[in-house]
Amino acid sequence: MDRIPESARMDAAEEELLVRSAVGGDRAAFLALARLHLQPVYRIVFALIRDRDQARQLAIDTFLRGWRGMRHMPTDQSFAVRIGRIARNLALAHQRRLFTGSPPATPAAGPAAGADDFTLEQCEEAFASITPEYQHVLVLRLLERQTYAEIASTLDLPPAITISRVSGARQAMLERLGAASGPPAP
Amino acid sequence: MRHLTPQQLSASLDEELTGVSKELVERHLVACPECDAASERLSALDARLVVLMSDEPGEAFFDELLEAVELRIEVPETAPSPVAARPPARKRETRPEPPRAVPRPAPEGVAARPAHGSRQPWLALALCLAVLLVAVLVYRGAGAPAFGVRFETAGWDSLARRALALVPRPAPRVPAAPEREPEAVPVVVPAPTAAPVATSPEPAAESTATAAATRVAAGPPRAAAVEPPSPEPVAAPAPVRTATPARPKRSESTSRPPAVKAPAPTGSSAERLPARQTPSTTLPGTRRIVTTTTVTPPPPPAESGMVCGEVRDRDGNPVASAQVMMSDVGVVVLTDRAGRFCMSVPVGERTLSVLAMGFLPKHRPLSVQKRTPELTIQLESAPPFQSQP
């Protein structure tokens, strides 16, 4: 949620004022916040869904849910954190419903294949076949550029589990792609 | 050579290693081409994934998305739309959402009902209360044993007739109506209630009515016991319909003794007793029930007085934050830094208690007047605590 366009950036104090007004039921203030955070929310949702129409619908639902819960928003919470969490939860719930766990229909090259040997389509199939939890952690790390500590805080995980989950997500991707999943066994 | 673990490779790629472990991994990657290739592979995978996750639909898309959000967000006064309240499972559809379902018109003669329960629970509650109130009024008006009186006639017909007679018919004004009195059935007051008046010099036959009248006049039985007995035989009041517009409170009417009915009306008793009688409607073939309720005037507000003073220790130092209380009237105040306090309590004989940390509690009787003289309370230090061996 830190990838706010420069044109849309505003002072923290100004945003806090908007949040305070929106908590009080000011619709215009909430729409101003929505304008500010629309693109980051859409990007988070799209990264998990990878379908433009569905991501658009989930982004709308995200702001609707955020608006409905605005009255109960803690004063010490950032709007970006809150709306980002809503977006991720909605997208993850969507992914969990669609998740079948079946491997991709067209595996990539053999075990010795390199990263350049599989296409984006194969990559997308492999990404869709890993668990939503792995997808989530990859989005947090690669798209949102969160550190391991931030991922641990976002997912409420211990740091050691966070390290193994990021690593496991990458290995799962390589396995689905049929590539060598890592170096030889130590 | 031991190769790097996937966790080490991943953490190295994400630059999460620090210190010695970072140095060791970097040194190993230089020395081990297999691990270096694996690291390159992961890096390339990350790049592909970033491309996969990214989407740049353009400004127009976001403008349209913002308009859609704006259209869907309602003002807080209105209820959330059913589309917004849907679980996320239904929001997978990418087609434009159909218009909101219009509730079907109810068939003729059938009242339309809300789609999902009542949205105005207070209305349903008010209706229930109103129905309950009407039922209670009809029940009591029909001669239910709410006042300790039982009807001898029963049956649905008589109940229905009583209910019909109660509702629309304007009751004729009956001022004392002594000629109707013989219709009434005297209600015998239970024997124990006559006990406090048994010492009255009047004959025993009249003691029942005297006791009832005394209770009615003085309110609670405790007050009746204090009041001296009347020198004259006092008969219970006749069923007089008073012109007072105010209705007695339900709690008072239910807390009163049962029905009081005297055979002989006396005009003086009606003046002496602040009682209100509510004659019930008499139907042909039924006995007439007369109930008596009284409205006791509220006790006059007790005059309050100010009690001020100061709390000091044995050396004359002020004791701050000491609790000064009059538990019999439920007033507690704390002393200020100068050990001073002030409280407003009803005038009378009270007991003042002072509690403070490190001091023995102190209780002293106090006669509270409208202007009580200044108090000086000295507290004794509590003995030091000694633990049991």
Side-chain angles (χ1 to χ4, degrees), chain B:
Chain B
M1 176 187 285
R2 283 178 68 93
H3 291 291
L4 296 176
T5 63
Q7 286 85 4
Q8 286 174 317
L9 277 175
S10 184
S12 167
L13 195 64
D14 294 331
E15 298 177 350
E16 291 282 342
L17 295 175
T18 55
V20 180
S21 57
K22 179 182 179 182
E23 192 177 337
L24 286 175
V25 167
E26 285 177 350
R27 199 177 300 165
H28 181 88
L29 285 176
V30 171
C32 177
E34 292 171 346
C35 287
D36 188 49
S39 178
E40 288 294 326
R41 204 178 305 134
L42 285 180
S43 178
L45 176 65
D46 284 356
R48 291 287 170 92
L49 284 175
V50 169
V51 172
L52 185 68
M53 293 171 185
S54 303
D55 183 37
E56 290 299 334
E59 289 296 323
F61 176 86
F62 288 114
D63 290 344
E64 188 266 341
L65 182 55
L66 187 65
E67 283 179 10
V69 170
E70 198 169 342
L71 284 176
R72 299 277 295 276
I73 287 179
E74 298 167 338
V75 290
E77 285 77 19
T78 59
S81 71
V83 176
R86 269 187 206 163
R90 298 184 183 179
K91 293 169 184 170
R92 287 167 48 197
E93 301 174 0
T94 57
R95 290 174 296 178
E97 294 185 7
R100 296 179 189 177
V102 178
R104 290 182 182 176
E108 289 184 9
V110 178
R113 298 178 61 188
H116 299 287
S118 174
R119 293 192 176 183
Q120 295 171 334
W122 58 268
L123 187 59
L125 186 64
L127 280 174
C128 289
L129 284 176
V131 168
L132 188 65
L133 184 65
V134 168
V136 167
L137 286 177
V138 167
Y139 186 64
R140 289 182 58 180
F147 295 97
V149 182
R150 289 181 182 278
F151 267 99
E152 293 181 0
T153 59
W156 291 108
D157 288 345
S158 60
L159 280 176
R161 275 188 284 113
R162 285 177 211 137
L164 285 175
L166 277 175
V167 177
R169 188 180 300 168
R173 281 197 175 182
V174 185
E179 64 276 9
R180 298 183 64 178
E181 278 307 303
E183 297 177 20
V185 178
V187 178
V188 179
V189 178
T193 57
V197 209
T199 56
S200 172
E202 302 304 324
E206 294 175 354
S207 63
T208 302
T210 308
T214 308
R215 274 202 318 277
V216 168
R222 190 177 59 175
V226 175
E227 189 171 292
S230 172
E232 294 178 3
V234 180
V240 177
R241 182 184 292 267
T242 60
T244 310
R247 304 186 69 180
K249 292 182 180 177
R250 184 176 303 278
S251 60
E252 289 176 342
S253 63
T254 52
S255 64
R256 291 290 146 224
V260 176
K261 183 70 181 77
T266 55
S268 60
S269 64
E271 294 170 1
R272 289 182 57 186
L273 301 177
R276 259 190 85 192
Q277 291 84 25
T278 307
S280 67
T281 307
T282 305
L283 294 174
T286 60
R287 295 187 178 183
R288 182 163 174 245
I289 304 302
V290 179
T291 59
T292 303
T293 57
T294 62
V295 178
T296 307
E303 195 176 15
S304 61
M306 288 298 292
V307 177
C308 294
E310 56 185 7
V311 180
R312 296 187 175 275
D313 62 5
R314 203 171 184 178
D315 301 330
N317 299 319
V319 179
S321 301
Q323 284 188 7
V324 183
M325 64 180 86
M326 285 192 185
S327 54
D328 46 356
V329 292
V331 177
V332 181
V333 296
L334 292 179
T335 58
D336 59 6
R337 288 181 180 177
R340 290 193 53 78
F341 67 92
C342 264
M343 57 171 60
S344 174
V345 290
V347 169
E349 296 297 325
R350 312 281 175 209
T351 301
L352 184 75
S353 303
V354 182
L355 298 175
M357 288 285 290
F359 296 94
L360 293 173
K362 188 157 194 174
H363 310 278
R364 60 176 283 187
L366 180 66
S367 175
V368 177
Q369 302 161 5
K370 195 168 182 182
R371 191 67 187 170
T372 308
E374 194 86 1
L375 300 174
T376 301
I377 299 164
Q378 192 176 45
L379 296 179
E380 297 292 331
S381 298
F385 177 75
Q386 293 180 350
S387 59
Q388 297 291 330

